[in-house]
């Protein structure tokens, strides 16, 4: 189906404006290409910026390379990060490539857009002590829902899941008790994740409370949801909700070492490689389509080894 403009929800009239083309393209990458919800949201935001600057009703066939460069210049003046600008460029390239593919435009002005060179940044990760402190925070701080939040933290660390994968996890996805589960990652690709004992125990404790909530709500006629993690009203917990939970516990009210859900993923990968796991196996566990993405974490372990060497070796430049 890839490349076929066959959606009942697409208008029969060929789109001409930036706004209409963007709407159709976003539907395409979500329905046909299988891009994740977070990716589609990011593209939608970037293309909204494009429409804001050039005009929603501007004919996309009239957009020039200079127009696109003007957008990038505006972002630079507003001090957008290199990462944000490069994502905008990727979104615009995708839109115009799509429009050229279906002959909405004769020339693709985005072909000559060059991405900015980004400074190399190693993924941020937590030490084992920081992980233990954060996983213990729900019981100590009593900020939100103790058993649920601990289960989320333990699962994120144990599995290396993306936040969207945790939010979309269903009860029926588990097997062998709670030793493993099937998650759907980017590109709608399924993979198996594994949970160690701490994560299994935390999950069981939370699910007992979760069942009690739905037992009460069922008496009032409410239907339970399949999502493993729910909010305090009994609805599915979203990715934004998990971000909020992690921010609360790692912020000033909690450990005061601010991290994101993705930091757990970085920590999982770094820990696996540091302890001798094969990089191909780690790639599979993380659901990376390219080995080069996983190789970022080998740089982290290399830097850690260098630091250990500098601290431990007597002629490493330390003061006597």
């Amino acid at each position: 189906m890839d490349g076929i403009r066959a959606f009942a929800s697409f208008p029969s009239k060929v789109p001409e404006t930036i706004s209409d083309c963007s709407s159709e393209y976003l539907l395409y990458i979500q329905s046909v290409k299988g891009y994740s919800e977070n990716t589609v949201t990011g593209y939608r935001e970037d293309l909204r910026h494009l429409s804001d600057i050039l005009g929603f009703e501007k004919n996309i066939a009239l957009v020039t390379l200079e127009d696109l460069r003007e957008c990038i210049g505006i972002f630079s003046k507003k001090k957008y990060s290199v990462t944000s600008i490069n994502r905008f460029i990727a979104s615009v390239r995708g839109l115009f490539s799509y429009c050229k593919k279906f002959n909405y435009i004769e020339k693709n002005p985005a072909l000559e857009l060059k991405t900015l060179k980004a400074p190399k940044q190693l993924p941020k990760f937590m030490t084992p002590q920081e992980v233990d402190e954060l996983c213990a925070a729900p019981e100590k701080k009593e900020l939100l829902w103790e058993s649920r939040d601990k289960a989320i933290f333990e699962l994120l660390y144990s599995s290396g899941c993306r936040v969207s994968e945790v939010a979309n996890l269903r009860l029926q996805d588990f097997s062998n008790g709670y030793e493993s589960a099937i998650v759907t990652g980017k590109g709608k690709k399924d993979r198996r994740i594994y949970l160690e004992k701490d994560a299994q125990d935390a999950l069981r404790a939370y699910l007992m409370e979760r069942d009690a909530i739905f037992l009460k709500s069922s008496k009032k006629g409410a239907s339970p949801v399949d999502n493993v993690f729910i909010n305090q009203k009994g609805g599915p917990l979203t990715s934004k909700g998990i971000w909020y939970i992690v921010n609360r516990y790692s912020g000033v009210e909690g450990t005061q070492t601010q991290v994101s859900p993705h930091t757990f993923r970085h920590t999982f990968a770094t820990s696996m490689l540091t302890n001798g796991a094969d990089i191909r196996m780690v790639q599979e566990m993380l659901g990376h389509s390219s080995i080069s993405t996983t190789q970022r974490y080998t740089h982290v372990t290399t830097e850690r080894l260098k630091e250990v060497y500098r601290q431990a070796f007597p002629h490493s430049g330390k003061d006597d």
Side-chain angles (χ1 to χ4, degrees):
M1 288 292 293
D2 188 12
I4 299 177
R5 187 173 175 266
F7 298 92
S9 54
F10 277 3
S12 57
K13 180 182 177 182
V14 173
E16 296 179 350
T17 65
I18 292 177
S19 179
D20 289 343
C21 288
S22 295
S23 296
E24 184 175 301
Y25 172 63
L26 291 169
L27 181 59
Y28 171 77
I29 63 175
Q30 184 174 36
S31 303
V32 176
K33 302 296 287 185
Y35 285 16
S36 70
E37 179 184 347
N38 287 343
T39 300
V40 174
T41 299
Y43 273 46
R44 180 178 293 108
E45 183 70 11
D46 292 330
L47 297 179
R48 185 183 64 77
H49 286 318
L50 179 70
S51 298
D52 285 343
I53 296 172
L54 300 184
F56 286 85
E57 299 304 316
K58 185 177 179 69
N59 191 313
I60 198 163
L62 301 179
V63 176
T64 66
L65 176 61
E66 289 68 28
D67 290 331
L68 300 179
R69 285 175 173 166
E70 178 187 351
C71 295
I72 296 171
I74 290 173
F75 296 148
S76 296
K77 288 180 181 178
K78 292 183 177 180
K79 300 189 182 301
Y80 278 43
S81 69
V82 172
T83 301
S84 296
I85 293 175
N86 283 342
R87 193 191 69 179
F88 171 80
I89 292 172
S91 301
V92 169
R93 281 177 174 172
L95 170 65
F96 280 88
S97 177
Y98 173 84
C99 291
K100 182 69 174 70
K101 186 174 188 176
F102 290 109
N103 298 314
Y104 298 166
I105 56 177
E106 291 185 8
K107 294 182 180 181
N108 182 352
L111 285 176
E112 296 184 47
L113 278 182
K114 305 296 182 184
T115 54
L116 306 182
K117 188 174 181 180
K120 290 185 178 180
Q121 292 183 338
L122 296 177
K124 181 180 179 181
F125 63 94
M126 291 179 279
T127 65
Q129 294 75 20
E130 288 171 337
V131 173
D132 290 343
E133 185 180 4
L134 186 51
C135 288
E139 295 174 317
K140 293 181 178 180
K141 303 298 180 179
E142 300 181 357
L143 295 177
L144 300 167
W145 183 349
E146 296 172 32
S147 65
R148 179 200 62 185
D149 303 339
K150 181 177 176 60
I152 289 173
F153 296 166
E154 293 285 3
L155 192 148
L156 282 168
Y157 177 55
S158 177
S159 66
C161 278
R162 301 177 178 92
V163 63
S164 59
E165 294 166 350
V166 174
N168 294 326
L169 194 62
R170 312 281 174 169
L171 293 170
Q172 58 265 34
D173 294 332
F174 288 99
S175 57
N176 299 322
Y178 298 108
E179 291 182 3
S180 66
I182 297 295
V183 298
T184 303
K186 288 186 175 181
K188 297 183 178 178
K189 294 179 181 178
D190 292 342
R191 75 178 189 281
R192 184 169 294 278
I193 60 165
Y194 299 91
L195 281 68
E196 47 75 54
K197 188 175 184 304
D198 287 344
Q200 293 175 37
D201 291 345
L203 192 59
R204 288 191 185 96
Y206 156 66
L207 289 176
M208 287 180 64
E209 293 187 15
R210 180 187 182 281
D211 289 343
I213 288 175
F214 282 123
L215 182 61
K216 291 180 180 179
S217 62
S218 64
K219 296 177 181 178
K220 300 177 182 179
S223 300
V225 297
D226 288 335
N227 296 67
V228 173
F229 294 107
I230 59 174
N231 57 38
Q232 298 193 31
K233 294 181 179 179
L237 186 65
T238 64
S239 295
K240 287 183 178 180
I242 296 176
W243 271 86
Y244 173 77
I245 292 167
V246 175
N247 283 337
R248 283 287 300 272
Y249 284 105
S250 64
V252 293
E253 298 173 278
T255 63
Q256 299 183 28
T257 303
Q258 198 77 60
V259 298
S260 72
H262 218 64
T263 309
F264 283 95
R265 183 169 164 85
H266 294 326
T267 304
F268 167 84
T270 304
S271 298
M272 293 292 291
L273 290 171
T274 301
N275 289 294
D278 180 83
I279 191 170
R280 291 287 181 183
M281 296 300 293
V282 177
Q283 177 191 2
E284 181 71 20
M285 292 176 186
L286 292 172
H288 286 159
S289 58
S290 171
I291 191 68
S292 61
T293 306
T294 316
Q295 285 173 333
R296 292 183 305 161
Y297 300 104
T298 63
H299 300 309
V300 175
T301 56
T302 299
E303 288 300 315
R304 178 181 284 181
L305 289 173
K306 287 180 180 178
E307 182 61 28
V308 170
Y309 174 80
R310 285 192 290 265
Q311 293 294 324
F313 193 68
H315 297 291
S316 61
K318 295 191 299 178
D319 293 335
D320 293 333

